[in-house]
Every structure is written in structure tokens, then in C-alpha cells.
Amino acid sequence: MSSFRPRPADYALWATSGVGVAGLAAAALGSQALELALWLVLLGLIAAAGYALRRHRRRSRSEAAWRDALFERSGISLWREDWTPVGKAIMALKKGGVHDIQAYFAAHPEEARALRRQVMIKDVNAFTVEMMGARSKADFIGSLDRILPDSDQTFDQWLIAFGRGDAFYRSETHIVRPDGAHLDCLFTAALPSSLEGFKDILVTALDITDYKALQASLVSAQTEAARASRITTVGALTASIAHEVNTPVASILANVQAALRWLRRAEPNLPEAEQALDRAVADAARTSQVIGRTRDFLSASPPSPQPVDLAETARIAAILIDRELRLHDTSIHLDAESGLPRVMADPIQMQQVLVNLMLNAVQAMREQPAPRDVTVTVRSDATAVTVSVADGGPGVPPAVRPRLFEPFASSKADGMGIGLAICRTSVEAAGGRIWLDEGQAPGATFHVSLPVATADQTFNP
């Protein structure tokens, strides 16, 4: 036989019925019956209220148990703290007319330290115990001052946030583990709006120690990469200058050595020595121009275009590499049309472009059997003048061709990969283009094409 348990509705029904019975009894039996009926109504209401109170208590206990379970089982560090002394102090200061909380505690740091010692940690969850490497919650219960190092700067920010009436507080700080190790943590909390709320502030903490270490490693790697980039840039600059001045300096050396030989003969040949020294002086002047133009080029200074005769420029370039030609037993054959139109370009840059191309052609054939010939042709049409430099060497490997004009790309074992990159920049700065014949074998042919100067450009009053 099942037991009967009245429901709240039953109590309410009895109370309502009691009121109805009381009315009927009062009409039929008089005041004594009415008093009895009212007592029945009162008993029914008391029973209903008692049932509702017991149900509310059970629900409250259930909700509290649920909150406790959520607190303990959360996968993030949770702290319950009592900040009541801080709340009282802030309210007292504001009541006393102090509204700049930051300035006040900056002038009274000992008061801030005293308040920090009064903030109490009431509870932490299991995840906090694990994160902090502690034995139990007992390692944390007590003053907040125990886990915040003297170097902590965030407590004052808490005080300022309370003083401003902020709804939330977020900050990054480091705390001391029971074993003495420091953890970098990100804290956040909902801030109370009344003194009662200061009794139980829930604080979440996220361990970001590994993240900070990773960020530090990335910064270190970026710093090292920047340093390596600077070293590479300096290396490229040095290589560029060395590449550009090597040929005229070598020519200076050859002419000075020739002058010394003429002077040291039993009967010195002064005219020949004088000519050699004149050539050395001219080479030195060209070296100075090369250095100046290279500096302007690397500093992105605008070039100084003027009408240039590419045939004459090719002849000068061939003279400048005379020592390399003799060293490698190579001949240059210049084939230029007569009456070539001029182009607008920087003459020194164009001279260096052709010197680079001719030197590359000479060096490409140094392992070839004699005779070794470099052919330089200069042709024009209605819109452009084109200089072609051809050699009979092994050619450019297919793997190198796509990046041949990029910095540090070279088909030579001892090449720096700077010359052709500089050539392309110089030629394109003059509005022209440079390219390599595709699939030519044997040898390689480089072409430089520059637009013909207009009448207005060549006119020089």
C-alpha cells in the first residue's frame, strides 16, 4: 500500500474548502462553527507555507551543490576571496572626498600594503592546487599577501578599479608558488557594486608562463633574424662595391706597374711611363665616379640621365677590362652601326652594365680552349638601341635561368650573384630591359635595350 503525501495544491484546496465551509457553518450554526472553520484554514495555510519553505531549502541546497561542483571541476583556476577591508577603505576615502584613488595610494604606499595583507583567500578549486604545484588548499587559505611578491604592481590597479566603480577587472601579474617558483598569470574578476559583494569575489586565473616564454623566444628569434638581415645587407653592400670597383682598380694597378717598368729600364722611357701614369689617373677618376654612382644607387638616389652613345660606351668598357682580356687570352670584337641614335641614361651606370656583361663573358670561357672570342654588337631601330654581348662558353644552366637577375644568384662557383642584379636595376631605371637568349648553345648572349632619346631630351642649350 503506497503512502499518501499531500502536495501544495492539496493544502491550498483544503484552505479554500475551509473558507467555504466556514461560510456555510456561520450561516447554519453560528459563530462557534465559524471559529472552528477559520482554525482549519489557518492550519492549511501554515502547512502549505512549511512545504514551500522545505522545497525552497532543498532547491537552494541543490543549487549550492551544483555551484560547488562547478567550482571544483572547472578546468581553469578559480579563487574565492574576501576583500571587505578594501571595500570599506575605498568607501571611506570616497566619503571623505578622496576621488583620485590612484594618486592617494601613490602617496600612501604603506596603506596599500596594509590593505593587501587584509585580503583573505577563502577557497581555491582543485585545478588551482594542481597549477600551483601545492599539496592542498591549505597552502593558499589566508592572506593574499603570501602569494603576491613585493614586485607585484597589480594590487594598486585593483584599488583604482574599485575606486572607479569598474564592473570588471583584468590584469596580468606573476604569483609565487608554494615551492618558490613564479608563474605569469592573467587574472579577471567581476567587481562588486556594494559592500556586501566584497565578501565573496570570484577571481579566475590563467597560467600564461609558457606563452610568455614562447613570446620571448619569438622576440629573440626576430631580433636574431633582424641582426642576420643587417649582416646580409652589409655583406651585399660590400660585395656590390667590391664588384663595381675591382676592374678599374685592377686597371690602375696594371698601369702603375707598367710605368714602373718603363722607369726602371737601363734607359728609362719617360714618354711611355707618362702615358701609363696618365691612364692610371684616368682609371682613378673613373673609380671615383663608380664609387659615387654605386653609393647613389644603393641609397636610392635618382640617376643623372643624359644623352649616351652606347657604341662609345661599349668601347670604353672594353678598354677598362683590358687586363682581364690579357689574363684570359680573350679577344673582344665590337660591331657597332654608324650613326646610332643616343639614349637617355646615366653614362657611368651604363658603362658598368657593359663592363659586367663583358667580364661575365670573358670569365665564362676561361676553361675553354683558345681562341676565346667575345662579340659585342650594337644595333638600333626606330624606338631603341640594343647592345648584345655573346660568348662561346658553356652557357647558363637551365636551373639558374629563372632567377639569373636576382641578387645572389650566380652560375659561377666563385660568383657573388650581385652584378646582373645591379645591371637589371640600372637598365630598368633608364626605362630599358635586359634579358638572356633562351636556349642558346653553345655560349650565352645577353641583350640590353634602351629607348631612343627624343629630340627634346638630347637638346642641350
Side-chain angles (χ1 to χ4, degrees):
M1 182 176 180
S2 62
S3 61
F4 171 71
R5 285 188 177 180
R7 297 170 299 174
D10 296 327
Y11 292 114
L13 178 62
W14 294 345
T16 304
S17 300
V19 172
V21 171
L24 292 174
L29 301 176
S31 61
Q32 292 182 346
L34 176 60
E35 182 179 353
L36 176 61
L38 290 175
W39 273 107
L40 290 173
V41 171
L42 179 61
L43 290 174
L45 292 174
I46 291 172
Y51 178 84
L53 180 61
R54 288 194 299 273
R55 185 172 183 181
H56 173 73
R57 286 173 177 172
R58 287 197 299 268
R59 183 183 295 111
S60 297
R61 287 195 296 270
S62 176
E63 290 176 353
W66 182 82
R67 287 196 300 269
D68 290 342
L70 182 62
F71 180 82
E72 286 298 332
R73 296 176 184 177
S74 177
I76 191 171
S77 176
L78 297 175
W79 308 59
R80 293 180 60 197
E81 301 173 0
D82 184 355
W83 288 68
T84 302
V86 173
K88 290 180 178 178
I90 296 295
M91 291 180 180
L93 288 172
K94 297 180 77 171
K95 187 176 180 180
V98 177
H99 298 288
D100 192 343
I101 301 299
Q102 181 174 7
Y104 180 84
F105 283 109
H108 304 84
E110 289 302 325
E111 291 188 26
R113 294 190 186 96
L115 285 175
R116 190 173 71 176
R117 288 191 290 269
Q118 296 178 64
V119 175
M120 293 295 158
I121 301 172
K122 301 194 300 182
D123 196 8
V124 297
N125 65 350
F127 188 88
T128 302
V129 175
E130 179 182 354
M131 181 185 81
M132 297 288 285
R135 295 167 299 179
S136 66
K137 294 184 178 184
D139 290 330
F140 303 98
I141 306 304
S143 174
L144 178 67
D145 194 59
R146 294 189 309 158
I147 67 166
L148 286 183
D150 290 337
S151 58
D152 173 69
Q153 301 295 320
T154 59
F155 187 78
D156 288 348
Q157 300 304 316
W158 281 88
L159 300 179
I160 294 168
F162 286 135
R164 286 196 304 255
D166 292 351
F168 292 94
Y169 175 75
R170 303 175 185 84
S171 181
E172 181 183 322
T173 188
H174 58 286
I175 57 179
V176 182
R177 289 175 27 144
D179 60 5
H182 285 220
L183 287 183
D184 291 306
C185 291
L186 184 66
F187 279 96
T188 182
L191 303 186
S193 57
S194 65
L195 183 60
E196 183 68 22
F198 279 86
K199 292 182 179 179
D200 192 12
I201 295 181
L202 183 65
V203 180
T204 62
L206 179 65
D207 180 6
I208 58 173
T209 306
D210 292 340
Y211 170 78
K212 296 277 287 185
L214 177 60
Q215 290 299 306
S217 297
L218 289 176
V219 170
S220 177
Q222 290 171 350
T223 302
E224 182 62 24
R227 188 183 72 87
S229 178
R230 289 194 296 270
I231 292 174
T232 301
T233 301
V234 171
L237 174 62
T238 304
S240 299
I241 295 174
H243 188 90
E244 295 301 311
V245 304
N246 181 64
T247 299
V249 168
S251 181
I252 292 171
L253 178 61
N255 284 311
V256 170
Q257 289 174 339
L260 287 174
R261 286 195 299 270
W262 288 115
L263 292 173
R264 288 171 179 170
R265 296 182 64 178
E267 293 184 7
N269 190 329
L270 296 181
E272 290 290 348
E274 184 179 359
Q275 290 181 11
L277 290 175
D278 286 340
R279 289 194 296 269
V281 170
D283 290 334
R286 278 193 290 267
T287 302
S288 177
Q289 291 175 331
V290 168
I291 292 174
R293 296 300 185 181
T294 303
R295 182 189 62 234
D296 294 341
F297 168 76
L298 293 172
S299 63
S301 298
S304 301
Q306 59 189 61
V308 174
D309 182 348
L310 285 182
E312 181 62 21
T313 303
R315 292 188 185 95
I316 294 174
I319 294 171
L320 289 175
I321 65 168
D322 179 72
R323 181 174 177 272
E324 288 286 331
L325 293 172
R326 287 187 283 109
L327 178 64
H328 295 288
D329 193 20
T330 304
S331 301
I332 282 189
H333 307 277
L334 178 60
D335 179 12
E337 291 180 345
S338 59
L340 287 169
R342 300 198 172 195
V343 299
M344 287 299 296
D346 186 301
I348 301 300
Q349 286 188 4
M350 291 306 103
Q351 184 183 103
Q352 291 306 115
V353 167
L354 297 183
V355 165
N356 278 323
L357 294 180
M358 292 180 188
L359 278 177
N360 286 345
V362 171
Q363 293 170 359
M365 296 187 295
R366 58 188 173 188
E367 301 298 331
Q368 302 290 112
R372 305 181 184 92
D373 299 306
V374 175
T375 303
V376 179
T377 59
V378 187
R379 298 286 186 267
S380 68
D381 56 25
T383 60
V385 178
T386 302
V387 180
S388 302
V389 180
D391 64 70
V396 178
V400 179
R401 285 174 175 263
R403 53 189 182 88
L404 186 60
F405 294 96
E406 296 177 4
F408 308 112
S410 177
S411 60
K412 295 180 288 187
D414 58 347
M416 293 182 291
I418 293 293
L420 288 178
I422 294 176
C423 289
R424 182 180 67 175
T425 303
S426 298
V427 171
E428 290 179 351
R433 65 188 185 99
I434 181 172
W435 72 97
L436 170 68
D437 266 354
E438 291 292 336
Q440 178 184 350
T445 301
F446 285 86
H447 306 275
V448 173
S449 180
L450 295 172
V452 172
T454 63
D456 292 337
Q457 290 174 322
T458 56
F459 176 71
N460 187 13

